[in-house]
Amino acid sequence: STNLHVSGSAQIDGDLSYEDFILAELSIPGVDLQTDTNAFRFNCPYNLNVEGLLLALDQHTTSGNVTVTVTNSTDSNQMISLSITGTNQSANTFTVSNAQCDLGDVITVAITATPANAQGLRMALQFRRRL
């Protein structure tokens, strides 16, 4: 809880660990959910914990929900899901279950909407690297 300031040399006996944040941001300028599958996939570059999901909807052509769901497809675990409704809305959540993904696991980001059209969706998925 206190910052450590070292002026000069330092010697550490034992283990040294640190937090390493990785921020992955997927920007989608226009989404047509009637014709796109909207499933984005990537392989984990490290052992990671999913920490949070932030959504922003700059434009929305309907009053329905837009939901983004992140799943570890390798382990068949849903990790986090978040919905927003309306125009010029944003939301974030840091409630994550099954947060861990291992190097090479396939992470799937699925976008659904009711009714099925939306524009201007931006999302930021936050990770913490496991050392």
Side-chain angles (χ1 to χ4, degrees):
S1 64
T2 303
N3 290 336
L4 172 66
H5 175 82
V6 178
S7 179
S9 300
Q11 178 177 343
I12 298 172
D13 294 323
D15 296 331
L16 173 65
S17 63
Y18 62 94
E19 301 291 346
D20 185 4
F21 274 99
I22 298 172
L23 178 65
E25 183 169 348
L26 174 62
S27 295
I28 307 167
V31 177
D32 182 349
L33 295 176
Q34 292 176 326
T35 58
D36 296 341
T37 59
N38 297 298
F40 302 92
R41 291 178 174 81
F42 63 93
N43 294 332
C44 286
Y46 308 100
N47 295 331
L48 300 173
N49 283 348
V50 171
E51 295 287 323
L53 178 63
L54 291 79
L55 301 181
L57 194 55
D58 299 328
Q59 304 168 11
H60 192 196
T61 57
T62 71
S63 60
N65 292 338
V66 175
T67 303
V68 174
T69 303
V70 180
T71 301
N72 183 337
S73 297
T74 301
D75 295 337
S76 300
N77 287 332
Q78 179 176 308
M79 304 173 91
I80 194 167
S81 185
L82 181 60
S83 297
I84 50 178
T85 301
T87 303
N88 297 321
Q89 299 294 318
S90 62
N92 61 62
T93 183
F94 302 103
T95 302
V96 185
S97 59
N98 303 309
Q100 291 190 345
C101 49
D102 298 322
L103 172 67
D105 282 359
V106 177
I107 302 302
T108 303
V109 179
I111 304 167
T112 56
T114 308
N117 52 28
Q119 294 178 340
L121 176 65
R122 291 179 292 115
M123 62 167 280
L125 186 57
Q126 294 181 332
F127 298 99
R128 183 188 306 267
R129 185 173 176 181
R130 293 194 335 261
L131 300 175

